[in-house]
């Protein structure tokens, strides 16, 4: 009879997916910020 | 003079210069020594060591004290080269730069080793066991050899940054971990009078560490210092 | 540069689909392990994450060597991106390992060689980021971090070996199963495991690609290039 570790399994996969999600979020936010900086700079160059 | 002798002479000159600086200023060895003793006292109270536990832990404590204390000496030895741009002067000298690395490593190694030699009788008294053991001294030679050559390289690296010497322990400790594990374990086995066969794999690991870190120093010292 | 390449969009979709596919495969089509129960299923992603992290750190060291040889800054971006993505995978490996260890060995942390080595690698590469943040000129930062990335990756085998040797002398008492991943894999489990390894490698490349674009854009913003 296998041990009942279903909640641990759910916790494990949630942590894995959660960290991946947070990292993707951080990548997106940082990329947006750099994009904003780039467009600001472009406008200044044109002016 | 043939190039090899010249190379050795450069190392010797840098080593001699460091000894002279140490003799006049006495900023390296005494500081390391006092710091190492303070660590011993702190550990004693922080961990509330019972006498029989102390004997088991003496080897570990010795290496923790040496590892922490030597970062002070390493930083001091490199920072003193930076003051008054002495390092630039050294770099301008028409010598192979790896010889500078060997010279600085040698002086760091010898100073830390002296601290260890002074600590041994003190530990023998504190932990009530004879630690003036030739085999232990041999292990200390091997352990400190690789530890200080890696330490010298990383001290030169960290002095180039904005954080300066604060960075050294953070860079050095995780990278030196295998050396410290090997040194602690072989010292512990030596103090427990185990036969050589019990700790020879640790000795091999220490020798490998020496070869690796001296090689790494040779390879990268110049790269770190180029401007 | 700012516009996302089409290939990357395709790759993103591919990555998401394969990841979901692997997750479904593990959850619904692999057998439940006989003693550990469902929690053992974390193993597939746990080991895959550790593998991806290790791969990323080796790549970071190689890219460091690439920088020192060619002195082209894009190697520095490769190195930086690989280290950051590697840190994320290492964190996943450690946390999922802890969650697995808790019900099986009744403790969150075991000083097991692979787990401990992963933890030390995380510390080494956190130090890498501290080193970077304390250097300003891009060339100097690239040069010194390349040296550190190379030294780090060559000490990892030494660290693993020393911790394993340490453990054989002080064996940890582990109750069921004997050791880490000591269960025997059925062909079905092995297939799911190999698929997970592949999927995490794809995920690593995808995340790395995004991080690399960020590094490039960041550099261009700072130097004023267009």
């Amino acid at each position: 009879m296998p041990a009942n570790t279903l909640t641990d399994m759910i916790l494990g996969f949630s942590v894995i997916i959660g960290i991946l999600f947070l990292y993707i979020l951080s990548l997106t936010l940082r990329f947006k910020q750099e994009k904003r900086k780039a467009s600001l700079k472009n406008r200044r160059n044109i002016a | 003079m043939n190039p090899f002798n010249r190379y050795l002479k450069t190392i010797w000159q840098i080593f001699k210069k460091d000894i002279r600086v140490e003799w006049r200023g006495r900023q390296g060895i005494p500081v390391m020594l006092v710091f190492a003793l303070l660590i011993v006292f702190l550990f004693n109270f922080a961990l509330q060591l019972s006498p029989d536990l102390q004997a088991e832990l003496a080897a570990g404590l010795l290496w923790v004290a040496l590892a922490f204390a030597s970062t002070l000496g390493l930083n001091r030895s490199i920072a003193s080269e930076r003051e008054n741009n002495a390092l630039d002067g050294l770099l301008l000298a028409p010598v192979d730069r790896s010889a500078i690395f060997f010279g600085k490593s040698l002086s760091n190694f010898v100073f830390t080793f002296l601290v260890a030699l002074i600590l041994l009788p003190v530990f023998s008294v504190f932990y009530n066991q004879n630690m003036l053991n030739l085999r232990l001294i041999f292990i200390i030679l091997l352990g400190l050899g690789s530890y200080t050559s890696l330490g010298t390289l990383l001290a030169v690296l960290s002095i180039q940054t904005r954080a300066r010497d604060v960075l050294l322990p953070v860079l050095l400790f995780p990278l030196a971990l295998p050396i410290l594990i090997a040194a602690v374990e072989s010292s512990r086995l030596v103090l427990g009078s185990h036969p050589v066969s019990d700790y020879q794999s640790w000795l091999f690991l220490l020798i490998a560490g020496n070869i690796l870190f001296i090689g790494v120093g040779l390879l990268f010292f110049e790269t770190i210092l180029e401007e | 540069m700012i516009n996302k390449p089409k290939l990357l969009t395709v790759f993103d979709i591919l990555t998401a689909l394969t990841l979901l596919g692997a997750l479904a495969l593990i959850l619904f089509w692999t057998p439940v392990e006989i003693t550990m129960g469902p929690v053992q299923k974390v193993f597939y992603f746990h080991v895959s994450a550790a593998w991806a992290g290790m791969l990323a750190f080796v790549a970071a060291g190689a890219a460091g060597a690439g920088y020192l040889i060619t002195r082209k800054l894009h190697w520095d971006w490769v190195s930086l991106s690989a280290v950051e993505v590697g840190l994320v995978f290492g964190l996943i490996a450690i946390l999922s390992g802890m969650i697995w260890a808790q019900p099986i060995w009744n403790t969150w942390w075991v000083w097991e060689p692979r787990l401990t080595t992963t933890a030390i690698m995380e510390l080494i590469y956190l130090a890498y980021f501290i080193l970077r943040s304390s250097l300003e000129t891009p060339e100097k930062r690239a040069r010194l971090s390349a040296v550190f990335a190379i030294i780090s990756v060559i000490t990892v085998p030494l660290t693993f070996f020393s911790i394993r040797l340490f453990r054989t002398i002080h064996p940890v008492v582990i109750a069921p199963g004997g050791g880490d991943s000591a269960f025997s894999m059925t062909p079905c489990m092995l297939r799911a495991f190999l698929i997970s390894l592949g999927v995490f490698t794809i995920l690593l490349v995808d995340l790395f690609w995004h991080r690399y674009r960020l590094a490039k854009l960041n550099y261009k913003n700072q130097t004023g290039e267009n």
Side-chain angles (χ1 to χ4, degrees):
Chain A
M1 184 60 198
N4 182 17
T5 49
L6 192 67
T7 42
D8 300 278
M9 182 194 83
I10 294 167
L11 180 67
F13 281 110
S14 330
V15 164
I16 294 171
I17 301 294
I19 293 172
L20 281 176
F21 176 75
L22 284 179
Y23 185 61
I24 291 167
L25 188 72
S26 111
L27 275 178
T28 320
L29 290 179
R30 281 185 289 171
F31 201 82
K32 274 203 178 128
Q33 199 186 348
E34 292 294 337
K35 251 180 163 170
R36 209 176 304 130
K37 268 192 214 159
S39 67
L40 267 177
K41 208 178 59 189
N42 273 342
R43 227 175 294 155
R44 223 178 299 132
N45 284 351
I46 293 161
Chain B
M1 207 190 308
N2 75 44
F4 184 66
N5 282 348
R6 215 179 108 82
Y7 193 83
L8 287 184
K9 200 171 167 227
T10 311
I11 297 175
W12 180 244
Q13 291 295 341
I14 291 169
F15 178 54
K16 245 172 45 183
K17 168 196 79 71
D18 275 357
I19 290 183
R20 211 172 299 134
V21 170
E22 176 64 27
W23 183 252
R24 289 190 189 144
R26 293 188 185 86
Q27 285 174 315
I29 295 174
V31 177
M32 282 196 269
L33 195 60
V34 173
F35 189 61
L37 289 175
L38 286 172
I39 290 171
V40 173
F41 275 91
L42 276 179
F43 265 95
N44 188 56
F45 292 115
L47 303 177
Q48 304 184 355
L49 301 176
S50 64
D52 44 326
L53 208 58
Q54 279 181 350
E56 265 289 293
L57 293 179
L61 280 176
L62 175 72
W63 280 102
V64 170
L66 281 175
F68 277 79
S70 59
T71 59
L72 293 185
L74 287 163
N75 270 329
R76 181 68 219 145
S77 127
I78 304 301
S80 69
E81 296 294 349
R82 240 193 111 90
E83 284 164 18
N84 314 317
N85 298 324
L87 193 60
D88 293 339
L90 266 183
L91 293 178
L92 282 174
V95 294
D96 200 315
R97 287 193 178 167
S98 58
I100 302 176
F101 168 72
F102 278 126
K104 290 308 283 184
S105 299
L106 183 65
S107 60
N108 283 330
F109 167 66
V110 170
F111 293 163
T112 324
F113 184 62
L114 277 177
V115 172
L117 283 186
I118 302 170
L119 281 180
L120 284 181
V122 179
F123 267 69
S124 307
V125 174
F126 279 175
Y127 297 117
N128 198 24
Q129 60 179 309
N130 183 16
M131 290 180 70
L132 286 163
N133 177 323
L134 270 182
R135 289 179 179 188
L136 181 64
I137 291 173
F138 178 65
I139 287 165
I140 291 175
L141 274 174
L142 282 180
L144 287 182
S146 46
Y147 190 77
T148 50
S149 39
L150 177 66
T152 305
L153 186 75
L154 292 178
V156 177
L157 197 153
S158 54
I159 203 89
Q160 313 264 329
T161 67
R162 235 180 332 140
R164 297 247 181 274
D165 43 1
V166 179
L167 214 51
L168 177 66
V170 179
L171 303 181
L172 177 59
F173 289 160
L175 290 181
L177 191 83
I179 300 302
L180 290 176
I181 294 177
V184 169
E185 279 301 294
S186 47
S187 308
R188 202 178 55 82
L189 293 170
V190 162
L191 289 178
S193 332
H194 286 255
V196 185
S197 57
D198 278 11
Y199 54 86
Q200 61 179 1
S201 12
W202 292 118
L203 292 184
F204 288 137
L205 199 78
L206 286 175
I207 292 168
N210 273 288
I211 296 169
L212 181 71
F213 290 137
I214 291 171
V216 161
L218 263 175
L219 201 60
F220 292 126
F221 189 71
E222 194 153 2
T223 316
I224 289 175
L225 280 173
E226 74 187 40
E227 233 15 280
Chain C
M1 172 61 213
I2 294 183
N3 296 324
K4 192 169 164 183
K6 262 214 184 78
L7 188 61
L8 182 55
T9 313
V10 175
F11 198 58
D12 281 348
I13 296 168
L14 181 81
T15 310
L17 287 181
T18 48
L19 186 64
L20 283 176
L23 191 61
L25 180 76
I26 290 165
L27 290 181
F28 304 117
W29 286 288
T30 53
V32 174
E33 209 272 335
I34 195 86
T35 45
M36 300 185 204
V39 75
Q40 178 271 333
K41 293 188 178 205
V42 169
F43 147 87
Y44 302 103
F45 278 9
H46 163 72
V47 180
S48 304
W51 150 257
M54 192 69 88
L55 197 66
F57 292 141
V58 173
Y67 176 77
L68 291 183
I69 293 163
T70 63
R71 303 288 164 144
K72 295 268 194 304
L73 272 176
H74 58 245
W75 283 115
D76 182 50
W77 307 333
V78 173
S79 199
L80 162 70
S81 311
V83 168
E84 193 182 291
V85 177
L87 273 174
V88 173
F89 280 108
L91 185 67
I92 289 177
I94 290 173
L95 288 182
S96 58
M98 285 167 74
I99 291 167
W100 182 18
Q102 214 286 323
I104 302 305
W105 297 324
N106 212 11
T107 166
W108 288 104
W109 184 260
V110 276
W111 291 96
E112 190 273 331
R114 269 162 290 185
L115 200 57
T116 314
T117 309
T118 314
I120 289 157
M121 272 166 65
E122 295 285 285
L123 288 175
I124 292 176
Y125 288 100
L126 283 176
Y128 174 91
F129 271 95
I130 299 172
L131 172 68
R132 284 192 80 91
S133 69
S134 137
L135 288 158
E136 269 146 7
T137 34
E139 282 76 22
K140 192 176 184 181
R141 183 168 58 201
R143 177 162 48 88
L144 296 187
S145 3
V147 170
F148 189 72
I150 297 169
I151 301 178
S152 307
V153 84
I154 51 183
T155 55
V156 166
L158 211 60
T159 307
F160 177 70
F161 180 70
S162 64
I163 298 172
R164 208 180 58 175
L165 198 60
F166 185 81
R167 271 290 147 244
T168 52
I169 297 169
H170 312 248
V172 249
V173 185
I174 292 168
D180 174 87
S181 62
F183 57 89
S184 49
M185 273 196 269
T186 64
C188 178
M189 287 166 136
L190 186 66
R191 204 182 322 127
F193 174 55
L194 293 177
I195 289 173
S196 301
L197 281 183
V199 167
F200 265 70
T201 314
I202 294 174
L203 182 62
L204 170 73
V205 175
D206 186 61
L207 290 177
F208 165 80
W209 193 341
H210 283 281
R211 184 62 186 86
Y212 179 80
R213 291 181 70 228
L214 177 64
K216 195 170 171 181
L217 185 59
N218 178 271
Y219 175 75
K220 298 211 158 156
N221 275 342
Q222 272 169 5
T223 51
E225 268 179 57
N226 279 311

